[in-house]
Amino acid sequence: MMTAMNLVSGAARPRWAALASLSLCLALVPALALAENVLRNASYQTGSGGAVDVVLEFAEPVAGVQTFTTDNPPRIAIDVPDTRNGLNQRRIAVGSGATSAISAVEGQGRTRVVIDLFRTASFETRTEGNRLIVSVAGGAMAGTAAIAANPDDPSKRVNSGLAVSNIDFRRGDDGAGRLVLSFDGEGVLADMRTEKSQVVIDVANASLPDSLRKRLDVSDFATPVRSIESRPNAGGSRIVIDTGTAFEALAYQTGNEYVVEVVPIKAAADPVAAALASGAPPPKYTGKPVTFNFQDIPVRTVLQLIADESNLNIVAADTVQGNITLRLQNVPWDQALDIMLRAKQLDKRRDGDVVWIGPQKELADFEQQKEDARIALEERSETITEFIPINYGIAEDIAKLLTEESKTGSGGGGGGGGGSSSGSRGFLSERGSISFDRRTNTLLVIDIPKRVAEIKRLVTLLDRAVDQVMIEARIVVASDDFAREVGSRFGFRGRNNKVNTVTTSGTLNSVVEFNNTSFARNAELASPNPIDPADLTVPSFGTLDQALNVNLPVLNPAGSLAFAILGPLFEIDLELSALQSEGRGEVISNPRVITSNQREAIIRQGDEVGFVTIAPQQGGTSVPIPNVQFKDVLLELKVTPTITQDGRVFLAMAIKKDEVSGFIDTSIGQVPQIQKREVTTAVLVDNGQTVVVGGVYEFKSREDLSKVPFLGDIPGLGALFRKKGRSANKAELLIFVTPQILRSSGAAS
């Protein structure tokens, strides 16, 4: 039986263990589900009066939330059990109303959300589905809250005794409208908000006198603000700013003044252009945009917020005290810092990632004392002597550059220097002096070690090899000539012929009379006085030029075609002539010169052409005296290069090319006729680039016609009675320049 019991117990033990494990798992399911809850997001929404709604979004609805507060420092802590922290950032800056920032940490199976406050403020929590909303009041005074809650119940108003003393409007340098509200005391609680095209400022604890209840038209100030209307509101004051263009509004409070600036969006989007238009240096704000809405908040607290946003180490002097009211929307943190410092008469000094904040006078006095100590230390420092050799420059020029009181000495070893004088002279201290030696081109410096080291550093920068520039010019003169002429000449002539027949011995003989002269031809004359046939020659027609009817030939023709018809009693001659000539020429001159940077270079090549002139005889005689004079006919390049910082070359140059085109005959000889080509210019050229700095194009065309009137106009046949000529001349001048920088070893880049 015992054995059976043991067997049953042994078999039953595993079954009960399994049931117990299953029950434990079922019991842990709700706990595991709760442990899976996650804080997914944390955000905030600002309301009127500085109120802020902190919205915490979870994966599942939350339960068992516990809240508690602390007064020093003022905080609201919210514990959410069985929840993990899923936020990507540890701290979220708010900076509105009484709310400073939101942070969340996870530990021991729960998540704690901490809301940092500027001052103690009331709050309430509520849940909406998976969201937990914590509404934090703006932290205003109880009297202000009562006025806002009961605007029409005078019995519930609190009289703070403050009043608006003045309302002033000004135009800022950047075209912004600036409204300055002055009060008769401190502790003003002002709230600014934007409603469409209006900016509304409610001052709950300051009354508005009757004299200030009016509407101001400020449209003539050329700002975004058109008008300003002031009126009482619920025991306090309300100022409404009406705008006409897109704007951004920001406000800050210092002492008993509340300043509202309305900036046009265009000027805010382009501060550099606005600053340049106003003549001020352009602002350079590059910080992360922040939004601040503070009322009467300690300055040191604002510095802490800016330190959190900028990741800078801020050290505030003990004298940095007081409160400030700020309302800034999407303003770079460095600009917000400058605004706050300017409002509280503070200043800053930055050293790396550390910023020292203090009153302006305190920082100025510190720097003055530091400078006085430095000067006193320099005055007590021992002077040293240093010899500085100059390699590429001139010691005298460098000495004059380092101090205007350097004096040139006489002789080869002349020097210049300074003795005692009041104040710092150039790069020297009051006790320093500088001399130079022309023979060895060396500087002699006597001064304190700090100034000597500075002068050596400057000499190292100045005493460098100068780059050189090779300037190559090409002067191209191209010409193209064309000429064509067509002409003709012809003539017609005849002779008189008389025939007498004489019968002698039965033989027929011809007797020809020509020009009153009789002669026999082709026969023997049977008469008592026979005539020798050798003596009977026919008279010639003479030369062709003696009998031309039309003479319009081409001079020196390239080709001609002639016809002639000759008969016993007449002769017809015709000659056609033509000429066509073409010529092309090109003259290239290529001057080239190398010079140092900013040094003028001149290169010339050419001849001196002589000619004779007549001068009257000295002493009153009339006998002239011939003189021989010469004229330069040159190819010249004159250039001064300047190497710019970006590696280009600025050339100031003059180029000319003269040629003798011919000679003019005079009574005393020939005078040369000179053709001049010249250009003077300044041009900026890239290194190695070729540029055309000048050019002249000439074109000459001419047509000539010589003809016999009336006959030369006959179609077709008129070509025999006219001469035509046509010529065309082209000439082109081009000047090319190519600079090439020749870098010297050790030259300044």
Side-chain angles (χ1 to χ4, degrees):
M1 188 66 181
M2 181 62 67
T3 303
M5 289 286 296
N6 291 336
L7 291 175
V8 172
S9 298
R13 187 175 295 114
R15 183 179 301 175
W16 285 107
L19 292 175
S21 299
L22 179 60
S23 301
L24 180 59
C25 291
L26 292 176
L28 291 176
V29 167
L32 292 175
L34 290 176
E36 290 299 325
N37 203 359
V38 180
L39 175 59
R40 291 181 173 177
N41 188 27
S43 61
Y44 66 93
Q45 299 175 354
T46 59
S48 60
V52 176
D53 289 343
V54 178
V55 181
L56 305 176
E57 184 178 350
F58 298 88
E60 301 291 340
V62 295
V65 177
Q66 297 180 356
T67 61
F68 62 91
T69 62
T70 60
D71 293 335
N72 190 16
R75 289 177 178 174
I76 301 174
I78 305 169
D79 283 345
V80 185
D82 301 324
T83 302
R84 292 187 295 105
N85 181 18
L87 299 182
N88 295 328
Q89 51 185 344
R90 181 177 177 275
R91 182 181 177 86
I92 301 174
V94 178
S96 179
T99 307
S100 171
I102 306 169
S103 59
V105 293
E106 177 185 351
Q108 299 180 358
R110 62 179 179 176
T111 296
R112 172 171 291 182
V113 179
V114 179
I115 302 175
D116 295 329
L117 304 177
F118 297 118
R119 53 187 173 272
T120 304
S122 60
F123 70 96
E124 62 179 11
T125 62
R126 67 181 185 275
T127 58
E128 295 180 358
N130 297 343
R131 299 194 306 169
L132 175 63
I133 302 174
V134 182
S135 298
V136 183
M141 296 175 58
T144 305
I147 294 175
N150 304 278
D152 299 327
D153 190 355
S155 62
K156 296 184 179 181
R157 297 177 183 172
V158 176
N159 186 7
S160 63
L162 296 177
V164 181
S165 61
N166 188 31
I167 299 178
D168 186 19
F169 181 79
R170 306 167 187 170
R171 186 182 188 276
D173 295 337
D174 54 355
R178 180 176 299 172
L179 175 65
V180 181
L181 302 178
S182 301
F183 302 91
D184 57 3
E186 298 184 359
V188 174
L189 298 176
D191 179 54
M192 186 189 73
R193 63 183 184 275
T194 301
E195 296 179 355
K196 296 183 179 180
S197 62
Q198 292 181 340
V199 179
V200 181
I201 303 101
D202 285 334
V203 185
N205 63 337
S207 60
L208 184 68
D210 294 339
S211 60
L212 298 179
R213 299 178 183 180
K214 55 186 176 181
R215 184 177 184 275
L216 301 177
D217 187 356
V218 294
S219 57
D220 294 338
F221 285 81
T223 67
V225 181
R226 290 182 175 178
S227 62
I228 301 172
E229 184 178 0
S230 306
R231 59 177 180 265
N233 178 57
S237 305
R238 172 172 291 181
I239 294 89
V240 180
I241 301 175
D242 188 15
T243 64
T245 58
F247 66 93
E248 290 182 352
L250 56 91
Y252 59 90
Q253 181 179 352
T254 172
N256 60 343
E257 287 188 349
Y258 186 80
V259 182
V260 180
E261 291 190 3
V262 182
V263 184
I265 287 182
K266 180 179 180 181
D270 192 3
V272 176
L276 292 177
S278 63
K284 297 180 181 179
Y285 296 122
T286 59
K288 176 183 177 183
V290 295
T291 299
F292 290 155
N293 185 7
F294 305 138
Q295 291 185 358
D296 199 24
I297 183 176
V299 174
R300 304 178 75 89
T301 304
V302 179
L303 293 177
Q304 179 62 41
L305 290 175
I306 294 177
D308 294 339
E309 293 294 335
S310 61
N311 293 325
L312 291 178
N313 300 312
I314 295 182
V315 179
D318 295 338
T319 52
V320 176
Q321 302 294 337
N323 296 347
I324 190 172
T325 297
L326 291 175
R327 180 179 176 87
L328 305 175
Q329 295 182 355
N330 294 327
V331 177
W333 65 262
D334 44 358
Q335 184 180 6
L337 177 61
D338 288 346
I339 291 174
M340 188 197 68
L341 297 179
R342 187 166 59 247
K344 301 300 292 184
Q345 289 79 45
L346 300 175
D347 205 349
K348 68 178 184 295
R349 298 293 184 269
R350 182 167 179 173
D351 185 7
D353 291 337
V354 179
V355 179
W356 178 24
I357 305 294
Q360 296 176 357
K361 187 177 184 306
E362 181 178 336
L363 296 183
D365 292 344
F366 171 79
E367 292 179 345
Q368 182 64 39
Q369 295 173 4
K370 183 179 179 181
E371 186 67 16
D372 293 342
R374 182 188 63 81
I375 295 175
L377 183 61
E378 288 184 356
E379 292 178 351
R380 292 191 297 267
S381 298
E382 182 180 359
T383 60
I384 61 174
T385 302
E386 188 77 23
F387 295 91
I388 305 176
I390 305 301
N391 296 319
Y392 304 102
I394 301 175
E396 181 179 358
D397 295 340
I398 296 179
K400 291 181 180 180
L401 180 63
L402 295 176
T403 171
E404 289 296 330
E405 295 188 7
S406 174
K407 298 180 181 179
T408 303
S410 61
S420 60
S421 62
S422 59
S424 177
R425 305 177 314 245
F427 294 93
L428 300 175
S429 66
E430 294 182 359
R431 297 185 294 159
S433 65
I434 184 171
S435 303
F436 57 87
D437 179 65
R438 290 194 184 97
R439 184 176 57 85
T440 60
N441 202 30
T442 304
L443 288 177
L444 172 61
V445 181
I446 302 176
D447 211 331
I448 62 176
K450 181 179 178 181
R451 293 300 180 96
V452 171
E454 179 66 15
I455 291 177
K456 291 180 65 177
R457 186 185 67 85
L458 292 175
V459 170
T460 303
L461 295 176
L462 298 175
D463 186 27
R464 295 196 177 185
V466 180
D467 288 336
Q468 301 180 90
V469 183
M470 181 179 66
I471 301 97
E472 181 179 3
R474 295 181 181 87
I475 305 172
V476 181
V477 181
S479 61
D480 190 353
D481 301 330
F482 173 80
R484 175 182 293 172
E485 294 184 11
V486 177
S488 65
R489 63 178 182 172
F490 66 90
F492 174 80
R493 57 184 174 175
R495 52 193 171 184
N496 187 16
N497 187 3
K498 290 184 179 182
V499 180
N500 295 320
T501 304
V502 179
T503 304
T504 305
S505 301
T507 302
L508 179 63
N509 296 286
S510 294
V511 178
V512 180
E513 182 179 295
F514 181 73
N515 294 333
N516 299 321
T517 301
S518 300
F519 59 93
R521 186 178 181 183
N522 299 328
E524 292 183 358
L525 181 62
S527 64
N529 299 313
I531 300 175
D532 188 355
D535 297 333
L536 299 178
T537 59
V538 180
S540 65
F541 287 100
T543 62
L544 180 63
D545 293 338
Q546 296 175 354
L548 289 177
N549 301 114
V550 176
N551 190 6
L552 297 174
V554 173
L555 299 178
N556 301 321
S560 62
L561 179 65
F563 298 93
I565 300 177
L566 180 64
L569 302 177
F570 65 90
E571 183 180 25
I572 299 175
D573 298 285
L574 173 64
E575 182 181 87
L576 301 178
S577 59
L579 170 67
Q580 178 171 326
S581 62
E582 296 181 6
R584 291 182 176 86
E586 188 174 278
V587 179
I588 300 178
S589 303
N590 186 201
R592 182 182 305 177
V593 65
I594 297 178
T595 182
S596 297
N597 185 27
Q598 299 183 348
R599 291 295 182 93
E600 184 183 54
I602 301 176
I603 184 171
R604 296 188 181 99
Q605 180 186 6
D607 300 322
E608 288 187 345
V609 180
F611 58 95
V612 179
T613 60
I614 299 297
Q617 175 67 33
Q618 296 181 358
T621 62
S622 60
V623 178
I625 299 176
N627 294 324
V628 178
Q629 296 186 1
F630 293 89
K631 179 69 175 178
D632 291 336
V633 181
L634 300 176
L635 167 64
E636 181 182 80
L637 170 62
K638 182 187 298 183
V639 59
T640 302
T642 301
I643 302 175
T644 62
Q645 293 295 330
D646 55 356
R648 295 190 288 179
V649 183
F650 181 80
L651 299 175
M653 57 186 172
I655 303 174
K656 71 176 182 179
K657 177 178 173 58
D658 300 339
E659 288 183 354
V660 178
S661 59
F663 291 88
I664 301 176
D665 294 328
T666 63
S667 60
I668 59 174
Q670 290 184 330
V671 177
Q673 186 175 5
I674 300 175
Q675 187 175 12
K676 301 179 70 67
R677 301 178 181 91
E678 184 175 356
V679 61
T680 300
T681 184
V683 63
L684 182 63
V685 190
D686 290 337
N687 181 25
Q689 180 185 14
T690 300
V691 63
V692 180
V693 298
V696 178
Y697 180 76
E698 296 180 356
F699 179 78
K700 181 179 179 181
S701 179
R702 180 182 178 89
E703 291 187 1
D704 298 319
L705 176 63
S706 300
K707 65 180 180 179
V708 178
F710 306 111
L711 297 179
D713 297 330
I714 300 175
L717 185 62
L720 300 176
F721 298 92
R722 60 177 178 259
K723 172 187 175 183
K724 294 179 65 177
R726 182 169 66 90
S727 63
N729 299 324
K730 298 178 183 179
E732 187 172 8
L733 169 65
L734 293 176
I735 300 176
F736 302 86
V737 175
T738 305
Q740 184 71 42
I741 299 177
L742 306 177
R743 293 293 182 184
S744 302
S745 177
S749 60

